[in-house]
Amino acid sequence: MRITTIDRCLSNHYRKWTLQDLMDACSDALYEFEGRDEPVSRRTIQNDIALMRSEKLGYNAPIVVKDRKYYAYEDPDFSIKNIPITDDDITTLNQAMDVLKHFQIFSQFSPFSDIINRLEDHISVVTKHNVPAIDLEKNNRLKGLEYVSELYDAITHKEALHIEYKSFKRRDGTPSEMIISPYLLKEYRNRWFVICNNARTKNDISILALDRIYSLEHDKSLPFVENTFFDPIHFFDDVIGVTKSIHSKPASITLKFDANQAPYVITKPMHSSQVVTKVYDDHSIEVKIHVVMNLELERDIIGYAEHCEVISPRILRKRISDHFRQSAAIYTSLEEDK
């Protein structure tokens, strides 16, 4: 606030500015905008001027003292507001906008859309940058994306919601009605989920896929159940994917990858807890992860096919073995039909 005030004063060439004038102007500005009724000291203003003159803030302001009394800009056209954007600034803005454009599903970003578009137009003229340099995974045709903003608002304002939800497990295919208190939005592999309390289950949480929501209504008369069930910051630390309950416990899982897949697993760990525990002579590796055993973990392991072996625990090894046995049976029957 002080530096902006000093700049405004020195940009006004219709009067001369002593150090006392600058002190008074800064004191008035701080009182007007912050209600601070303390005079700014002489030393503070001198330090501010020295800071403006330096490269520390990137201003290099040409502040001079005339007649040993009056402060002014040597260049009458100078102002800290006119500092040109550097090439590094342009690069940073480009990177930021490339990322921000992927959050357009949030209506909360709509006030910034016009600003982002104008910045993008201006930067593309300056740098001829009109091809994005980053492409985050997205699928705008996914069902349920229209609910992201509404759920976000309900979470931040602690509002209960009335929804119609059709579970894949519901055999008759009709949606069921739920009253939920939403706590957290979670994205996994370009699919969105809401972690919430379902009024029917009361003392537990539900993890609902947004593409299975058929309708959503706000109702401020519904009581909101406060989240006393889980820590939103760390709840998913020990899980691959989103399938987890508040009672789930992580297990120590040992996997062996052949030499073909080992480099990929090392450079792209399955989970943040991954540790390489053994390297074999044939360059295959053994790794350990500490995660909840769920469907997403099994699918990841199956995705490596013959390149991955579950060493332990035994129950997971059997599950994966059963999956491959059933798959082999399908293809065996196909060969027999020929």
Side-chain angles (χ1 to χ4, degrees):
M1 179 65 71
R2 293 196 310 268
I3 287 175
T4 302
T5 303
I6 293 171
D7 176 70
R8 186 172 64 250
C9 291
L10 299 186
S11 298
N12 180 0
H13 308 299
Y14 295 100
R15 63 168 291 182
K16 296 181 178 180
W17 298 93
T18 65
L19 194 61
Q20 185 61 52
D21 293 332
L22 297 177
M23 291 163 55
D24 293 340
C26 288
S27 297
D28 291 342
L30 290 173
Y31 177 76
E32 180 179 352
F33 291 99
E34 297 183 3
R36 293 172 56 180
D37 196 14
E38 299 176 3
V40 178
S41 71
R42 182 184 188 89
R43 184 174 183 82
T44 296
I45 297 300
Q46 288 174 329
N47 288 339
D48 289 341
I49 290 173
L51 189 61
M52 293 172 70
R53 283 170 170 162
S54 72
E55 297 181 356
K56 192 168 184 179
L57 299 180
Y59 295 146
N60 296 299
I63 300 175
V64 295
V65 182
K66 297 182 177 180
D67 300 329
R68 297 184 177 181
K69 185 176 182 181
Y70 302 109
Y71 286 79
Y73 282 140
E74 189 174 29
D75 178 359
D77 295 325
F78 181 86
S79 170
I80 62 173
K81 297 176 183 177
N82 299 332
I83 300 296
I85 297 177
T86 66
D87 290 342
D88 286 343
D89 295 334
I90 294 289
T91 300
T92 302
L93 282 170
N94 268 324
Q95 294 169 347
M97 285 188 295
D98 282 343
V99 173
L100 284 173
K101 283 185 290 185
H102 290 269
F103 287 86
Q104 292 177 349
I105 58 173
F106 288 91
S107 63
Q108 290 79 8
F109 273 81
S110 57
F112 305 104
S113 296
D114 184 53
I115 298 171
I116 291 173
N117 289 336
R118 282 187 282 122
L119 274 172
E120 190 173 27
D121 290 342
H122 177 70
I123 290 173
S124 64
V125 170
V126 175
T127 65
K128 296 182 171 56
H129 173 87
N130 48 24
V131 178
I134 184 172
D135 183 26
L136 301 180
E137 184 179 1
K138 60 184 183 296
N139 184 350
N140 294 329
R141 297 183 64 184
L142 284 175
K143 289 184 62 179
L145 292 180
E146 66 271 23
Y147 298 125
V148 171
S149 287
E150 287 188 80
L151 285 163
Y152 179 89
D153 280 338
I155 292 169
T156 55
H157 294 111
K158 294 187 176 182
E159 292 181 3
L161 300 169
H162 183 277
I163 69 169
E164 287 185 309
Y165 188 81
K166 186 190 289 186
S167 171
F168 285 120
K169 297 178 182 179
R170 195 173 177 92
R171 294 186 178 180
D172 61 7
T174 59
S176 57
E177 295 187 358
M178 296 183 185
I179 295 173
I180 66 169
S181 296
Y183 303 132
L184 181 69
L185 280 167
K186 170 74 173 174
E187 187 266 346
Y188 176 67
R189 293 188 176 176
N190 207 28
R191 193 180 182 204
W192 285 87
F193 301 83
V194 59
I195 295 82
C196 60
N197 172 259
N198 182 348
R200 293 178 182 174
T201 56
K202 293 185 179 180
N203 297 321
D204 202 349
I205 61 168
S206 297
I207 299 176
L208 308 178
L210 267 60
D211 54 24
R212 306 304 298 165
I213 296 177
Y214 279 72
S215 69
L216 182 154
E217 292 181 9
H218 294 261
D219 188 344
K220 293 185 178 180
S221 67
L222 296 174
F224 181 86
V225 179
E226 291 287 345
N227 177 21
T228 59
F229 309 102
F230 72 104
D231 176 5
I233 298 175
H234 298 293
F235 185 67
F236 290 101
D237 286 356
D238 57 4
V239 67
I240 292 173
V242 296
T243 306
K244 181 185 179 184
S245 77
I246 58 175
H247 307 293
S248 300
K249 300 295 181 184
S252 182
I253 296 164
T254 304
L255 307 169
K256 183 179 179 182
F257 294 90
D258 65 17
N260 180 283
Q261 290 298 312
Y264 299 99
V265 177
I266 291 173
T267 55
K268 188 177 182 291
M270 293 185 68
H271 186 258
S272 59
S273 64
Q274 177 176 305
V275 176
V276 177
T277 54
K278 188 181 294 186
V279 178
Y280 294 88
D281 292 339
D282 64 353
H283 302 295
S284 60
I285 61 171
E286 189 175 279
V287 305
K288 282 191 176 182
I289 56 176
H290 195 67
V291 297
V292 171
M293 287 192 291
N294 62 8
L295 183 61
E296 292 94 319
L297 170 65
E298 293 180 19
R299 285 177 175 171
D300 274 8
I301 294 172
I302 292 169
Y304 284 100
E306 73 275 13
H307 302 290
C308 175
E309 177 188 359
V310 178
I311 305 299
S312 65
R314 190 172 180 176
I315 186 173
L316 180 60
R317 182 180 175 91
K318 185 179 185 305
R319 285 181 190 171
I320 300 301
S321 174
D322 290 343
H323 281 301
F324 283 122
R325 189 178 296 109
Q326 292 167 11
S327 296
I330 293 173
Y331 289 103
T332 299
S333 63
L334 288 174
E335 290 298 320
E336 291 173 351
D337 290 342
K338 288 182 179 180

